[in-house]
């Protein structure tokens, strides 16, 4: 996870959540005290994604987004009343009496569904789907928590992400947001993703921050907030990131404010779309706000867009939600697709418009009903006919000789032609 550094700004404390190779922290510019500096910084990003236009069609009401992360501060002003706390699958990793930090998870939750605070909700962070509900499931520790080594060192916690996905789906999550991942796939996570999609949940995950591309070699790593991992003792970064690279998952890359690929964002053929991931403001515990880089916030933006679609079209199949998001992308690559940015930068309003068309698509009724088949009469076992090996060889030999005879006849006929032809 990225290092976080604080800097004062008006009534809020701003800090820099740097990408893996970030420059040293720098002091924030003096804020404009006549306006809320947090909201002023958040609004241009939302406008670039068409979110205010999308709010005329949907604000995420009636949808639950599961935030599988380091935990969410339920009392944060921009999230108060919107968060339900699920289980903590990391319990026991931190020493007794140490409270979860919950910084990364709170930050992502605010980007997805922050509703602001103050008079008319005009202060603080407003997310993409401000009326959505959030289900917080703690499945990772942050790097600076005292139990991080315990969490990453043993096999006891290897299944936390898979457990969290299944819990979220079983408790009504419409969208599962995973601003985290590891550099290798596990069968339990693959099965959990398949379970989520089979239960009609949309799964969105981070493409990873190791800047990796076209490396056929694997790499080590434990589940962590969207960052890449390297082999123990060094080595090349991983090419793919999981769960993002599992089939059916919307893998999200990061771009800068101009829609250009962010250098830290992984490039691979699993990337579906991209979203802003450079200098993104989100809320944190204790009333502070944080500025960060990564595919983590990019994933949160796309999870919010998925929530808007699911709110407008309840139960729309995950594949159609993905198709709507892809169809609505802007700033598309010249050739239509690029491993760095996928099919382009997400656009909330255009995705909702595309979902209106897709919602009328016929997704059932094709073929025969379940339990029916094309044949009539009772089902009989398949009969296997056994042939003599000698008989098979004799048939092959006769066929070969016949072909040779035909070829010889063709040569003789060609030789008898009139020389004047």
């Amino acid at each position: 996870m990225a290092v976080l550094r604080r800097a004062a700004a008006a009534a809020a404390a701003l800090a820099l959540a740097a990408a893996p190779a970030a420059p040293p922290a720098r002091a924030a510019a003096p804020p404009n005290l006549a306006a809320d500096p947090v909201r002023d910084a958040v609004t241009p990003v939302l406008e670039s994604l068409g979110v205010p236009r999308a709010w005329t069609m949907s604000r995420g009401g009636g949808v639950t987004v599961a935030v599988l992360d380091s935990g969410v501060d339920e009392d944060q002003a921009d999230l108060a009343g919107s968060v339900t706390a699920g289980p903590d699958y990391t319990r026991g990793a931190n020493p007794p009496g140490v409270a979860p930090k919950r910084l990364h998870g709170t930050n992502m939750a605010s980007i997805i569904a922050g509703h602001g605070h103050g008079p008319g909700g005009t202060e603080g962070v407003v997310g993409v789907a401000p009326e959505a509900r959030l289900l917080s499931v703690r499945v990772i520790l942050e790097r600076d928590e005292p139990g991080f080594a315990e969490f990453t060192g043993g096999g006891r916690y290897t299944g936390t992400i898979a457990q969290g996905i299944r819990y979220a789906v079983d408790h009504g999550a419409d969208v599962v947001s995973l601003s985290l991942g590891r550099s290798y796939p596990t069968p339990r996570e693959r099965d959990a993703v398949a379970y989520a999609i089979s239960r009609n949940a949309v799964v969105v995950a981070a493409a990873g921050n190791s800047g990796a591309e076209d490396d056929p070699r694997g790499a080590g790593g434990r589940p962590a907030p969207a960052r890449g991992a390297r082999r123990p003792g060094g080595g090349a970064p991983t090419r793919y990131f999981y769960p993002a690279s599992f089939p059916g998952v919307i893998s999200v890359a990061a771009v800068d404010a101009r829609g250009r690929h962010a250098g830290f964002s992984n490039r691979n053929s699993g990337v579906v779309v991209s979203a802003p991931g450079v200098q993104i403001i989100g809320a944190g515990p204790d009333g502070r706000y944080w500025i960060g880089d990564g595919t983590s916030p990019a994933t949160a933006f796309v999870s919010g867009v998925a929530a808007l679609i699911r709110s407008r079209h309840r139960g729309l199949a995950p594949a159609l939600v993905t198709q709507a998001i892809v169809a609505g992308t802007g700033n598309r690559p010249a050739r239509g697709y690029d491993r760095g940015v996928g099919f382009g930068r997400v656009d909330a309003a255009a995705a909702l418009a595309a979902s209106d068309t897709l919602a009328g698509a016929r997704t059932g009724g094709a073929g025969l009903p379940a339990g029916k088949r094309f044949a009539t009469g009772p089902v009989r076992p398949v009969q296997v006919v056994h042939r003599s090996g000698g008989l098979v060889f004799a048939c092959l030999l006769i066929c070969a000789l016949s072909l040779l005879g035909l070829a010889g006849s063709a040569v003789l006929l060609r030789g008898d032609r009139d020389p004047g032809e």
Side-chain angles (χ1 to χ4, degrees):
M1 183 171 61
V3 177
L4 301 170
R5 303 181 178 90
R6 297 175 183 173
L14 299 179
L16 176 66
R26 52 188 181 276
N32 178 5
L33 298 180
D36 179 54
V38 173
R39 182 60 59 85
D40 288 348
V42 168
T43 300
V45 181
L46 296 178
E47 290 176 343
S48 73
L49 298 177
V51 172
R53 290 184 288 117
W55 285 340
T56 64
M57 295 177 275
S58 172
R59 293 177 65 88
V63 169
T64 297
V65 180
V67 181
L68 273 60
D69 213 291
S70 61
V72 177
D73 181 6
E74 305 168 55
D75 298 323
Q76 208 287 333
D78 299 332
L79 297 169
S82 297
V83 182
T84 298
D88 178 1
Y89 289 112
T90 72
R91 189 179 301 277
N94 274 336
V98 175
K101 189 172 182 181
R102 301 181 299 178
L103 172 56
H104 191 267
T106 302
N107 197 274
M108 298 305 107
S110 70
I111 294 171
I112 297 169
H115 50 59
H117 67 274
T122 56
E123 300 175 7
V125 172
V126 61
V128 176
E131 294 181 4
R133 296 283 308 172
L134 295 167
L135 172 61
S136 170
V137 185
R138 182 167 154 91
V139 297
I140 55 173
L141 264 66
E142 308 198 36
R143 186 179 293 276
D144 55 351
E145 291 191 61
F148 184 77
E150 170 69 18
F151 177 73
T152 60
R156 177 182 172 187
Y157 299 103
T158 56
T160 58
I161 295 176
Q163 289 176 289
I165 292 173
R166 290 181 178 272
Y167 176 90
V169 173
D170 289 342
H171 288 78
D174 300 281
V175 179
V176 178
S177 184
L178 299 157
S179 289
L180 48 76
R182 70 176 88 225
S183 55
Y184 58 89
T186 71
R188 291 183 66 180
E189 288 178 14
R190 179 194 60 212
D191 292 344
V193 166
Y195 176 74
I197 295 172
S198 72
R199 295 291 295 271
N200 211 36
V202 180
V203 183
V204 187
N209 297 340
S210 61
E213 178 178 19
D214 292 337
D215 187 344
R217 295 169 292 180
R222 292 290 188 181
R227 66 177 187 276
R230 295 180 178 273
R231 296 175 184 270
T238 177
R239 181 180 179 182
Y240 293 100
F241 207 58
Y242 298 91
S245 295
F246 286 130
V249 179
I250 303 177
S251 176
V252 185
V255 294
D256 62 18
R258 298 176 61 183
R260 299 173 303 186
H261 174 260
F264 55 78
S265 182
N266 285 356
R267 293 178 181 266
N268 60 62
S269 58
V271 172
V272 178
V273 292
S274 52
V278 178
Q279 296 290 281
I280 304 301
I281 288 187
D286 303 324
R288 293 186 171 91
Y289 294 88
W290 303 82
I291 305 174
D293 302 338
T295 55
S296 284
T299 299
F301 282 123
V302 176
S303 296
V305 174
L308 294 180
I309 295 173
R310 268 299 179 80
S311 175
R312 186 168 175 83
H313 301 291
R314 298 295 298 162
L316 188 66
L320 294 182
V321 174
T322 303
Q323 187 173 343
I325 290 173
V326 168
T329 54
N331 201 33
R332 298 185 180 185
R335 297 185 178 181
Y337 179 82
D338 179 86
R339 289 174 300 171
V341 299
F343 290 99
R345 183 176 57 189
V346 70
D347 184 294
L352 281 173
S355 74
D356 289 347
T357 301
L358 294 170
R362 181 184 177 188
T363 58
L368 295 176
K372 298 291 184 179
R373 58 193 180 85
F374 291 101
T376 58
V379 178
R380 298 176 179 176
V382 176
Q383 294 184 347
V384 178
V385 178
H386 296 279
R387 301 292 185 187
S388 167
L391 179 60
V392 173
F393 177 77
C395 291
L396 292 174
L397 182 60
I398 291 171
C399 291
L401 292 173
S402 299
L403 289 173
L404 288 173
L406 289 172
S409 299
V411 170
L412 290 173
L413 289 172
R414 180 175 296 178
D416 290 340
R417 286 180 180 175
D418 189 330
E421 289 183 352

